[in-house]
RNA sequence: CGCGGGGUGGAGCAGCCUGGUAGCUCGCAAGGCUCAUAACCUUGAGGUCGGCGGUUCAAAUCCGUCCCCCGCAACCA
C-alpha cells in the first residue's frame, strides 16, 4: 500500500497582498495534510509563489528595483502568511529558484523534442494602457476605433512571434483520460464544465513571450521567455527535484495525490497540466479539486465595494484557529461560501465558545471535582463501558472515508455532532458515573479517552488550540499517572497516544 | 437560443442523482437542569421548497417552460 501523499496549494501570484482566497486554499490544504498525517501517511505538502511575468517586471521597474530583489520582498509576505496560518508545509517553492528553472527547461526540451511545441505568431487585440490582450468578444467598435468594452481603452492589432503548445492534439486524449479517471476533477459539476469545454475544441496554447524578459528563458531561443502556465504549473514537479527521476522525493511523491486550487484556475490545472504531462510522457496528478470562492456577504470581495476582509486582520482580531474552523465548517466545500464579521462572531460564540469551550471546561471541572485528577488502580470496565468506548473506533472509520473523498463538511460535522456537541457528551459514561465514588477513576479514564479521541480528530481543524488544550491533560504529571494505572493502557496507546497528539 | 451554478420558514445552508411524513445551524418564545459559560437540555412558533404546466397513486426531488440572481466566455486565488 502506498503510504505517501503529495498535496499542493496553488502557487500564489504576489502582485497584490494576500487575501482571503489565498488563506482559504492554504488552510484547506493544510487541513488535508494534517489529516493524512494522523492517518499515518507520509505527507509532502507544498506551497509557494509564482513570480515571473510582465506585471512583476513592471512593478519592479517602477520601484527601480532588481526584479529578483523585488520578488524576494513580495514572496516573503506569502511565506509570512504561511507562518501566520500555521501551515505544516514541507517546502515553499519560488519559481525564481534555479531548481525550478532547471525543471521547467527540462520539460520544455522534452516537449520541443517530441514536436509538441512549434514557433509561430501570437496575435490579438492589445491595449497598451491595460497591458492586456482582448478577444474579439471583449472589444467594441466605436466610430471606427476599436476599444475594450471593459476598460474603454484603445486596442490595436498586434502580432508577436511566439512558441505554441499543440494543445489541439490532446483533445481526444484528454477526454479519454477523464473517462479513465472519473475522479480526476472534483467536484463533479466542475468536471462537467471542463469536459464540455474540451469537447467544444481546444486551440493551441501560446507558451512563450518576446515582449518582456522576466521569466525562464526558452533553452533553444534566448529571445523568448516561457510564459505563465508551463512555467507555473511545473512547480509541482520542481519541488520534487524533477528532472532527477531517481531522486527520492520524486520517486516517492509523484504523481501528486491532490492539487487543491480555486475554481478560477481549474481549466489550467485540469486541461493544460495533464496535457503537458501526457505530452512529455509523465504521469498526470491523481486529482484536482477546484474549491469555490469566499465571498463577503453575497458579493465578491473587491476594493471598489469596500467589503474586503483581510485574513491577517481577521486573525489579529479573532485568532487563527477560529478562522480555520469557520472556513472548514461553515463553507460548503466545493461551493462558494461567504464570510462576514457577524457570521464569524456568531460561529465563534456558539460553536467554539459555547460548545467546544464548554466541553473543555466541564471536562476539566469534572476531573478536578470527582477524581482530583487521579485515577485509582482498582477500576474495571464493564462490557457496557467497553461497548461505548468501542464506538470511537467506528467513528474513526467513518472519518477516514469522508476525508478520502474530500468530504470536508461531513468530516467536521461528524466531529461536531458526535463528539463536541454537549448533547453527545451528556450521555457519555463519566458524566453518568461521576457521582459514584467507586467508579470515579473509570470516569476519569473514559472521559480522557473520549476527549483524547476528539481532540486528535479535530487537530487538523484547529491545530494550535488543540495542542494547547491537550497539553493541559497530557503533561507529565497528569497523563503519565492516568495512563500507567489503567488496564487498557495498551489499547489506549494504540488508538491515540499523547505523544502522537502533541506532534500533530 | 453561448456555457455553468443558484432561487427551500427571519438569516445562512443540506436534501434533489437513487420521487413517498421538509431537515440542520443561528435567531425567536416557553419550560427545565448541571459535570458545564450570558452555558447546556427539552418543547414550541414560523415554509403554497422562485412562477406556471406535465409525468405519477405520490414531486423540493423527474420532464417542459418562464422569471430573477451570480459566475465563466482562454491565459485571472
Amino acid at each position: 500500500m502506498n503510504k505517501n501523499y503529495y498535496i499542493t496549494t496553488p502557487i500564489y501570484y504576489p502582485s497584490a497582498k494576500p487575501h482571503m482566497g489565498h488563506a482559504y486554499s492554504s488552510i484547506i490544504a493544510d487541513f488535508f495534510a494534517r489529516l493524512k498525517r494522523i492517518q499515518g501517511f507520509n505527507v509532502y505538502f507544498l506551497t509557494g509563489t509564482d513570480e515571473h511575468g510582465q506585471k512583476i517586471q513592471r512593478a519592479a521597474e517602477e520601484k527601480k528595483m532588481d526584479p529578483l530583489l523585488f520578488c524576494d520582498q513580495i514572496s516573503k509576505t506569502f511565506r509570512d502568511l504561511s507562518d501566520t496560518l500555521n501551515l505544516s508545509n514541507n517546502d515553499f517553492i519560488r519559481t525564481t529558484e534555479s531548481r525550478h528553472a532547471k525543471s521547467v527547461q527540462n520539460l520544455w526540451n522534452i516537449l520541443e523534442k517530441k514536436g509538441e511545441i512549434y514557433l509561430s505568431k501570437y496575435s490579438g487585440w492589445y491595449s497598451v494602457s491595460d497591458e492586456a490582450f482582448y478577444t474579439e468578444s471583449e472589444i467594441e467598435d466605436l466610430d471606427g476605433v476599436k476599444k475594450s468594452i471593459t476598460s474603454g481603452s484603445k486596442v490595436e492589432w498586434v502580432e508577436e512571434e511566439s512558441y505554441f503548445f499543440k494543445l489541439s492534439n490532446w483533445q481526444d486524449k484528454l477526454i479519454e483520460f477523464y473517462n479513465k479517471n472519473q475522479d480526476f476533477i472534483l467536484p463533479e459539476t466542475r468536471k462537467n464544465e471542463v469536459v464540455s469545454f474540451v469537447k467544444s475544441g481546444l486551440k493551441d496554447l501560446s507558451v512563450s513571450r518576446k515582449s518582456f524578459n522576466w521569466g525562464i528563458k526558452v533553452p533553444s531561443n534566448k529571445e523568448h521567455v516561457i510564459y505563465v502556465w508551463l512555467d507555473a504549473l511545473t512547480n509541482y514537479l520542481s519541488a520534487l527535484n524533477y528532472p532527477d527521476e531517481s531522486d527520492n522525493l520524486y520517486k516517492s511523491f509523484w504523481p501528486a495525490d491532490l492539487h487543491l486550487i480555486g475554481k478560477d484556475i481549474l481549466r489550467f490545472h485540469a486541461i493544460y497540466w495533464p496535457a503537458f504531462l501526457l505530452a512529455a510522457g509523465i504521469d498526470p496528478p491523481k486529482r484536482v479539486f477546484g474549491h469555490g470562492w469566499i465571498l463577503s456577504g453575497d458579493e465578491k470581495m473587491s476594493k471598489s465595494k469596500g467589503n474586503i476582509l483581510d485574513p491577517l486582520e481577521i486573525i489579529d482580531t479573532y485568532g487563527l484557529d477560529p478562522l480555520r474552523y469557520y472556513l472548514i465548517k461553515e463553507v460548503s466545500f466545493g461551493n462558494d461560501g461567504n464570510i462576514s464579521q457577524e457570521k464569524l462572531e456568531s460561529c465563534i460564540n456558539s460553536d467554539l465558545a459555547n460548545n467546544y469551550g464548554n466541553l473543555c471546561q466541564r471536562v476539566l471541572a469534572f476531573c478536578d471535582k470527582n477524581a482530583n485528577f487521579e485515577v485509582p488502580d482498582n477500576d474495571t470496565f464493564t462490557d457496557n463501558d467497553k461497548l461505548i468506548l468501542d464506538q470511537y473506533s467506528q467513528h474513526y472509520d467513518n472519518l477516514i472515508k469522508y476525508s478520502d473523498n474530500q468530504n470536508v463538511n461531513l468530516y467536521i460535522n461528524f466531529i461536531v455532532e458526535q463528539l463536541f456537541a454537549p448533547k453527545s457528551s451528556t450521555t457519555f459514561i463519566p458524566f453518568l458515573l461521576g457521582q459514584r465514588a467507586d467508579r470515579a477513576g473509570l470516569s476519569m479514564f473514559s472521559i480522557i479517552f473520549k476527549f483524547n479521541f476528539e481532540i486528535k480528530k479535530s487537530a487538523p481543524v484547529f491545530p494550535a488550540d488543540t495542542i494547547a488544550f491537550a497539553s493541559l491533560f497530557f503533561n507529565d504529571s497528569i497523563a503519565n499517572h492516568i495512563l500507567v494505572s489503567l488496564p487498557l493502557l495498551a489499547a489506549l496507546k494504540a488508538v491515540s497516544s499523547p505523544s502522537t497528539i502533541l506532534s500533530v
Side-chain angles (χ1 to χ4, degrees), chain A residues 76-320:
Chain A
K76 188 175 179 304
T77 67
F78 280 84
R79 198 185 283 260
D80 289 347
L81 179 71
S82 300
D83 291 339
T84 305
L85 296 177
N86 192 19
L87 299 191
S88 60
N89 56 301
N90 302 80
D91 197 357
F92 186 101
I93 191 157
R94 301 178 53 189
T95 56
T96 45
E97 292 176 66
S98 62
R99 58 172 173 163
H100 178 67
K102 189 173 142 196
S103 179
V104 172
Q105 287 180 326
N106 188 271
L107 186 61
W108 177 284
N109 284 339
I110 291 174
L111 293 173
E112 195 174 29
K113 208 176 202 173
K114 293 197 172 191
E116 298 287 346
I117 286 176
Y118 63 92
L119 190 59
S120 181
K121 274 190 178 137
Y122 183 86
S123 57
W125 296 100
Y126 185 75
S127 161
V128 178
S129 57
D130 298 349
E131 295 172 21
F133 278 92
Y134 292 103
T135 61
E136 205 68 50
S137 58
E138 287 172 323
I139 60 168
E140 58 188 343
D141 200 321
L142 291 177
D143 304 325
V145 182
K146 304 269 191 192
K147 293 185 171 179
S148 159
I149 293 172
T150 47
S151 70
S153 58
K154 207 172 93 180
V155 297
E156 54 191 293
W157 187 254
V158 170
E159 293 192 352
E160 180 186 311
E161 189 181 69
S162 170
Y163 284 90
F164 282 80
F165 171 72
K166 287 184 182 173
L167 187 62
S168 58
N169 274 2
W170 290 89
Q171 186 174 333
D172 295 340
K173 282 158 197 152
L174 282 171
I175 295 293
E176 190 187 329
F177 174 72
Y178 301 144
N179 285 337
K180 274 189 191 161
N181 302 278
Q182 287 292 321
D183 292 333
F184 173 65
I185 303 167
L186 287 180
E188 202 175 349
T189 57
R190 300 258 152 68
K191 175 193 159 188
N192 295 338
E193 273 183 59
V194 168
V195 169
S196 82
F197 181 85
V198 171
K199 281 182 177 168
S200 74
L202 295 174
K203 292 197 300 190
D204 287 350
L205 181 71
S206 167
V207 289
S208 79
R209 283 291 187 279
K210 276 178 84 172
S211 54
F212 61 90
N213 58 26
W214 180 236
I216 296 168
K217 298 268 184 293
V218 168
S220 56
N221 186 341
K222 304 297 185 202
E223 288 183 11
H224 287 256
V225 294
I226 298 172
Y227 191 56
V228 189
W229 294 105
L230 191 54
D231 174 350
L233 289 164
T234 305
N235 89 85
Y236 303 129
L237 285 174
S238 39
L240 301 182
N241 297 324
Y242 176 85
D244 181 2
E245 295 184 21
S246 64
D247 186 273
N248 204 36
L249 277 179
Y250 184 83
K251 280 195 302 188
S252 301
F253 293 107
W254 194 261
D257 292 274
L258 181 62
H259 290 319
L260 185 71
I261 56 167
K263 64 181 183 181
D264 51 311
I265 50 170
L266 178 63
R267 192 167 287 177
F268 316 120
H269 282 76
I271 300 173
Y272 300 174
W273 186 223
F276 291 154
L277 292 171
L278 288 169
I282 300 170
D283 286 338
K286 292 174 192 164
R287 181 169 295 177
V288 172
F289 194 106
H291 68 239
W293 302 81
I294 304 304
L295 310 174
S296 173
D298 289 333
E299 292 175 315
K300 191 167 166 178
M301 290 185 210
S302 69
K303 281 177 192 158
S304 58
K305 287 173 185 151
N307 59 356
I308 291 185
L309 287 179
D310 182 336
L312 297 176
E313 287 174 18
I314 292 281
I315 290 166
D316 202 41
T317 307
Y318 299 99
L320 168 64

